Amino acid sequence: FNGVLAHVLSSALIIGAAYSALCLLLFAIAIIRGGHNYSHDMLTAFLPAMIVNAVLVISVALETVTIYRITGSAVFSGAVLIVGFVMSLTLYGTSLQAPIPSLRWIFLLPGPYLGVGCALGYSDMGQLTLLGYGVAASCLSVLIYALVSFRAGGVLNGSSD
């Protein structure tokens, strides 16, 4: 379990760091191009949103890797996540207009959370809801990944490490 956990957490940290660095770079470019003067308040408003979105991006990456670990197909795992993402975003918009109890399952998919987080639409969901989903989905993905790895004989990514 420790090997699986180290493997997944190192990947998650790399993804989160790369996403955060890109966000900070784009934030700086937006300030410079917009002709704004940097203020501490701008960064104070930006950082929590960036952290929440980084956790959501990590959860999506871990979900993709977990689906890949189960199916063994990178194309299939990517397609499942993309189709699920687009479908859940579409259905989330529909459920906002007229809440439909049978559509509650869309909240198991990352689409609504990442869409709301990237649009900074915290009026629909609070930052804590988004952060909670990201952490819960990541933990569940790691658990499923570990269980599948143990059933496969502890072999990670098809190698014998």
Side-chain angles (χ1 to χ4, degrees), residues 64-78 148 157-158:
T64 306
V65 169
T66 300
I67 294 170
Y68 171 74
R69 187 69 177 139
I70 293 168
T71 64
S73 170
V75 173
F76 182 73
S77 60
V148 170
N157 293 332

Side-chain angles (χ1 to χ4, degrees), residues 79-99:
V80 164
L81 211 59
I82 290 170
V83 168
F85 185 81
V86 171
M87 185 176 65
S88 65
L89 272 179
T90 304
L91 293 174
Y92 177 69
T94 302
S95 72
L96 283 179
Q97 295 171 0

Side-chain angles (χ1 to χ4, degrees), residues 19-111:
Y19 178 82
S20 297
L22 180 63
C23 286
L24 287 171
L25 176 66
L26 293 174
F27 179 71
I29 290 171
I31 289 174
I32 293 167
R33 291 186 86 200
H36 300 290
N37 290 328
Y38 165 78
S39 72
H40 187 296
D41 293 338
M42 293 169 80
L43 193 59
T44 304
F46 175 75
L47 282 179
M50 182 194 73
I51 290 168
V52 167
N53 287 343
V55 170
L56 290 171
V57 167
I58 289 169
S59 74
V60 170
L62 291 176
E63 289 169 11
T64 306
V65 169
T66 300
I67 294 170
Y68 171 74
R69 187 69 177 139
I70 293 168
T71 64
S73 170
V75 173
F76 182 73
S77 60
V80 164
L81 211 59
I82 290 170
V83 168
F85 185 81
V86 171
M87 185 176 65
S88 65
L89 272 179
T90 304
L91 293 174
Y92 177 69
T94 302
S95 72
L96 283 179
Q97 295 171 0
I100 303 168
S102 63
L103 290 180
R104 288 189 183 139
W105 60 268
I106 64 170
F107 290 103
L108 298 174
L109 301 173

